[in-house]
Amino acid sequence: MATASREAVKQSVLGYSDVHPFSKVDITDRASVQELLKTLLDPLEPHFSPNKARIRVPGGTAVRFDNTAAEIEGTCRPLWALSSLLAGGGEYHGTKWWVEGLKAGTDPENPEYWGDPRDNDQRMVEMCPLGFTLAAAPVFWDSLSEKEKGNVERWLGNSINEKVMPNTNWLWFRVFANLGLKKNGGKYSQEKIEQDIIHLNSFFRGEGWSNDGPEGVWQQDYYSGSFAIQFLQLLYAKLAEKDDPAKAAEFKKRAQDYALDFIHYFDEEGRAVPFGRSVGYRFAMAGFWGACAYADIELPAPLTWGIVKGLLLRNFRWWQTQEQIWSPTGTLTIGYCFPNMYMAENYNSPQSPMWACLAFICLAAPQDHPFWTSTEELYPTHLIPKVKALKHPGHIISYLGGHRLLLSSGQACSYPMKGTHAKYGGFAYSSAYGYSVPTGCFTLEQFALASQLGLSDDGGEFWKTRRLCQEAIIETHEDLPVLKSIWKPYPDVAIKTYLIPPVETTPNWHLRVHKIEAGREVMTADGAFAIYNERVPDGRYLDLYDPKKCEGTMPKIIGNYDLNTPEGYSPGAIGAFAVSRGAVGIVALEADTLRTAMHVNADPNSNLVESRTIIPTLLHTLKKGETAWYLTAIYAKPLKENVSPSTYLDGWDTKPAIPSWLMTDISSN
């Protein structure tokens, strides 16, 4: 019977020029977002296991945990969206698939049993959307027999309550496992709920911000917001507002404070700034805004429900333009703007990207909520500061140059993370130019040091960058916030770095200043943003800049291993730029600079946004015992609607001024 049923399932296949149904939805209102959601759920049908307990989508790659847990991800993560749809009064014809899957997966006698969780088990993560589903969508619990309810109680609540969990946002997952059972009269542990929330509150740092971990960890990425902590605080505030009004009120207050900072991580086009780990969860980055509606918080001025609605819907619309994020059968892939294993974490299975479904929590807000009844408003560019220091995450945010620029110092992942120096240690992150990750560990092309300073003591084979800071603080100079960090790539090489945001007179430039004290001979490579390296109309790499075409590079791109072609280099004082989808560049401002400018033809797929990129870079070699100041100016003017390519380099010839306080610091040293 199961075989016949599965043979009847029609599997969509995206061919050469096909467009995913997700990109065809005209997103305007609640009904259209419901339709959008279904374009994510429908392609999953042929990927269910026979008893519906597991989902395996195309990919076949492994993760650090077992494949069964990876396939449980495939079943549970879409529940973020399905349960939100159902909680808001919507319907989906495939709801029964997940009900059947819940029954089979929690039944120890079923061949598709999910397995008993161990300490620190990935299954604990998937208990969170499952717990929320039980709390928000009664059809699941109501569809179970008494024996099946006992199976769910045993697997979901009682097993996780007996196990060790990581000292991170994961503790929220146990809260929701118990909360889902509590809402349905099942067996749960109120003691664990209270203990875990007390411990999670120890992560709180103030003004809405929480660390993703205990004291001593400085990690405030999207897990502090949309992926976990803020998001789950708001869901708890909604579900437990009658039983636990004090915590519900506190979590809503935190969301109000956080919202005034978090809005700076989005731009007018709807893009979020890629920063930190797990950005492959894509539109989950905007999930916080829908959670604000679900929890019905009182928005702080100047935010309105029309503004919040626009933040979320524009993010969905921007992802609609990213047509390479899908597998051939229409499921989300590992990656960001295209499939990409280089950026993947060791916990990203082919099913992991479905954490993106939490962005549909907005559908759990009722139809008459002002989030849905308000007219969508544009990004409030003129209502919020164009430059703002965010002390808790160690960020300075700017919107002067036509994109959301994020300067960063101090954060670091507290455990081994692939490309961790790129995801947290970069100097600048952008909504227009995604960060780049290493594809290997041999030469600059593989390290792809976009918005990083690399140092090599072996002639350029292996490069070290900023990962940990000995000190990272926000200072104020001449009424402008400045990030200062102290870091040591080698025990005998000390670097002080200042990051200075753009100013009104030179809005497309920011400054990056390094004082390097070299206890050994080191090569240095200071990289700008990575930019699209394809010319119009044939997609070959960029030629020398042609002002008539408004496209190309200066100097010329040469072969990655050609170190002797003069056309590939220019003096550091002249710099290097590239123009394609916008323009980026770099120039050395220190007097009598000895640095040389060129383009690193980065390995394909090293960047999150563009699959082929180059990185304008300044090169130099410092001798042992030498101290040098690098005054680096970074140019960026992104592709934007109604911005003519002929203007991409309009600001290039007007270099930013070196602040007087900085000149005093340099001269005194």
Side-chain angles (χ1 to χ4, degrees):
M1 190 70 181
T3 302
S5 173
R6 289 177 64 78
E7 288 176 350
V9 174
K10 182 179 179 181
Q11 180 168 294
S12 62
V13 177
L14 295 177
Y16 185 85
S17 58
D18 292 332
V19 176
H20 194 287
F22 181 90
S23 297
K24 298 178 181 179
V25 178
D26 182 15
I27 303 174
T28 56
D29 55 13
R30 194 167 184 260
S32 62
V33 177
Q34 290 176 330
E35 182 184 356
L36 189 75
L37 157 62
K38 293 173 184 178
T39 69
L40 291 176
L41 299 183
D42 288 347
L44 297 175
E45 183 180 3
H47 298 295
F48 273 98
S49 57
N51 293 340
K52 301 292 190 292
R54 305 177 189 177
I55 289 177
R56 182 173 64 225
V57 301
T61 51
V63 279
R64 68 183 182 191
F65 45 86
D66 58 288
N67 282 338
T68 296
E71 293 176 7
I72 297 170
E73 285 185 319
T75 303
C76 289
R77 297 191 171 199
L79 287 172
W80 282 126
L82 177 59
S83 60
S84 298
L85 175 70
L86 299 175
E91 297 179 348
Y92 181 62
H93 73 278
T95 300
K96 59 182 180 294
W97 307 332
W98 275 272
V99 172
E100 292 176 28
L102 174 62
K103 294 177 180 179
T106 56
D107 182 359
E109 299 176 359
N110 194 289
E112 295 184 9
Y113 177 55
W114 288 337
D116 294 337
R118 300 175 178 177
D119 291 342
N120 303 315
D121 199 310
Q122 181 66 24
R123 289 161 178 78
M124 297 170 172
V125 181
E126 313 321 314
M127 291 178 182
C128 188
L130 181 54
F132 175 74
T133 296
L134 293 178
V139 64
F140 280 83
W141 187 261
D142 294 344
S143 299
L144 305 177
S145 67
E146 290 304 312
K147 180 181 179 181
E148 290 164 344
K149 290 177 181 177
N151 288 338
V152 172
E153 286 176 339
R154 175 187 172 277
W155 189 84
L156 180 61
N158 301 319
S159 61
I160 197 173
N161 290 331
E162 301 165 355
K163 301 300 179 183
V164 175
M165 297 193 72
N167 192 14
T168 65
N169 68 83
W170 275 41
L171 295 170
W172 270 114
F173 306 156
R174 183 159 59 195
V175 170
F176 273 81
N178 282 290
L179 193 59
L181 294 171
K182 179 181 180 179
K183 280 290 185 179
N184 289 283
K187 184 180 177 182
Y188 72 100
S189 173
Q190 184 65 30
E191 180 183 13
K192 285 294 183 183
I193 292 177
E194 294 176 359
Q195 286 178 349
D196 286 340
I197 292 180
I198 289 172
H199 190 84
L200 285 160
N201 281 338
S202 72
F203 299 171
F204 182 60
R205 294 294 174 265
E207 296 174 278
W209 285 89
S210 292
N211 260 337
D212 186 12
E215 192 71 37
V217 173
W218 192 356
Q219 193 172 335
Q220 295 177 24
D221 50 23
Y222 284 95
Y223 282 91
S224 294
S226 287
F227 290 171
I229 294 176
Q230 277 288 347
F231 180 81
L232 296 173
Q233 285 177 168
L234 285 172
L235 269 57
Y236 182 87
K238 177 65 175 180
L239 294 171
E241 58 186 343
K242 293 182 180 179
D243 295 341
D244 196 356
K247 289 191 188 71
E250 169 62 19
F251 292 153
K252 289 184 180 182
K253 173 62 170 62
R254 291 182 191 178
Q256 291 174 320
D257 293 338
Y258 183 77
L260 293 176
D261 284 351
F262 192 52
I263 190 172
H264 292 279
Y265 289 77
F266 295 80
D267 68 11
E268 293 173 341
E269 285 77 15
R271 299 171 296 195
V273 178
F275 171 79
R277 66 189 179 103
S278 297
V279 294
Y281 296 156
R282 298 186 172 101
F283 32 91
M285 297 161 82
F288 168 77
W289 302 115
C292 289
Y294 175 62
D296 195 28
I297 74 167
E298 183 177 342
L299 293 175
L303 300 186
T304 66
W305 285 115
I307 290 174
V308 169
K309 181 179 185 178
L311 288 166
L312 179 59
L313 298 194
R314 281 192 300 275
N315 187 255
F316 278 139
R317 292 189 196 108
W318 184 77
W319 282 109
Q320 286 183 306
T321 68
Q322 305 305 305
E323 297 182 355
Q324 301 304 314
I325 65 177
W326 310 103
S327 76
T329 63
T331 59
L332 287 169
T333 57
I334 298 172
Y336 194 66
C337 289
F338 56 90
N340 190 339
M341 290 301 298
Y342 290 127
M343 63 156 285
E345 322 301 354
N346 63 6
Y347 52 79
N348 286 157
S349 81
Q351 292 75 231
S352 295
M354 292 300 284
W355 198 258
C357 288
L358 63 76
F360 290 94
I361 187 64
C362 58
L363 293 175
Q367 188 169 352
D368 60 357
H369 191 280
F371 177 88
W372 295 116
T373 59
S374 297
T375 301
E376 180 181 337
E377 296 179 46
L378 298 175
Y379 190 92
T381 306
H382 303 296
L383 298 178
I384 59 177
K386 290 188 177 180
V387 176
K388 184 177 182 180
L390 306 179
K391 68 177 182 180
H392 294 291
H395 292 160
I396 296 174
I397 304 283
S398 167
Y399 203 59
L400 285 175
H403 62 129
R404 185 56 73 189
L405 171 68
L406 183 161
L407 302 179
S408 180
S409 289
Q411 289 201 43
C413 195
S414 59
Y415 43 85
M417 175 68 56
K418 188 167 64 175
T420 185
H421 60 283
K423 295 170 181 176
Y424 293 94
F427 301 124
Y429 298 84
S430 167
S431 59
Y433 307 103
Y435 63 74
S436 297
V437 295
T439 63
C441 54
F442 180 69
T443 75
L444 282 173
E445 289 70 32
Q446 293 180 13
F447 278 92
L449 301 179
S451 295
Q452 298 177 75
L453 173 67
L455 298 97
S456 173
D457 67 352
D458 62 3
E461 289 194 10
F462 186 83
W463 293 82
K464 297 196 72 173
T465 66
R466 188 179 69 166
R467 186 180 73 83
L468 295 176
C469 294
Q470 294 180 334
E471 178 186 355
I473 59 174
I474 298 176
E475 301 179 339
T476 300
H477 296 280
E478 300 171 4
D479 298 323
L480 191 69
V482 175
L483 274 165
K484 182 180 81 173
S485 63
I486 308 294
W487 53 290
K488 300 185 75 171
Y490 301 98
D492 55 358
V493 177
I495 302 176
K496 176 169 69 174
T497 296
Y498 290 112
L499 302 177
I500 305 172
V503 295
E504 294 277 0
T505 52
T506 51
N508 298 107
W509 292 94
H510 72 273
L511 292 172
R512 181 192 307 164
V513 179
H514 311 288
K515 179 189 177 183
I516 306 175
E517 299 173 274
R520 67 180 72 186
E521 181 172 306
V522 287
M523 294 177 62
T524 65
D526 212 357
F529 290 113
I531 192 170
Y532 184 64
N533 184 20
E534 291 188 22
R535 70 183 187 186
V536 178
D538 60 7
R540 298 193 176 195
Y541 66 77
L542 295 171
D543 295 316
L544 194 64
Y545 182 68
D546 184 341
K548 294 181 180 179
K549 296 180 179 178
C550 302
E551 180 183 78
T553 71
M554 190 289 298
K556 181 181 179 181
I557 300 173
I558 58 172
N560 280 344
Y561 305 103
D562 182 349
L563 303 179
N564 301 304
T565 303
E567 294 87 351
Y569 296 85
S570 65
I574 294 177
F577 65 74
V579 182
S580 58
R581 292 177 176 170
V584 301
I586 192 166
V587 65
L589 298 182
E590 65 268 17
D592 301 320
T593 181
L594 299 176
R595 291 195 283 173
T596 301
M598 50 84 72
H599 294 285
V600 173
N601 195 357
D603 259 16
N605 310 314
S606 54
N607 188 258
L608 271 65
V609 174
E610 305 290 0
S611 56
R612 295 183 181 88
T613 59
I614 55 169
I615 306 170
T617 300
L618 293 169
L619 300 178
H620 187 221
T621 297
L622 292 172
K623 300 297 184 182
K624 180 178 179 180
E626 190 175 356
T627 296
W629 282 88
Y630 289 165
L631 280 63
T632 304
I634 310 296
Y635 184 84
K637 187 168 184 178
L639 170 72
K640 200 168 185 179
E641 189 176 357
N642 299 324
V643 174
S644 170
S646 64
T647 68
Y648 286 160
L649 289 176
D650 277 2
W652 174 257
D653 290 331
T654 305
K655 304 299 190 288
I658 304 300
S660 58
W661 67 265
L662 181 59
M663 296 305 297
T664 300
D665 189 9
I666 294 172
S667 61
S668 66
N669 284 274

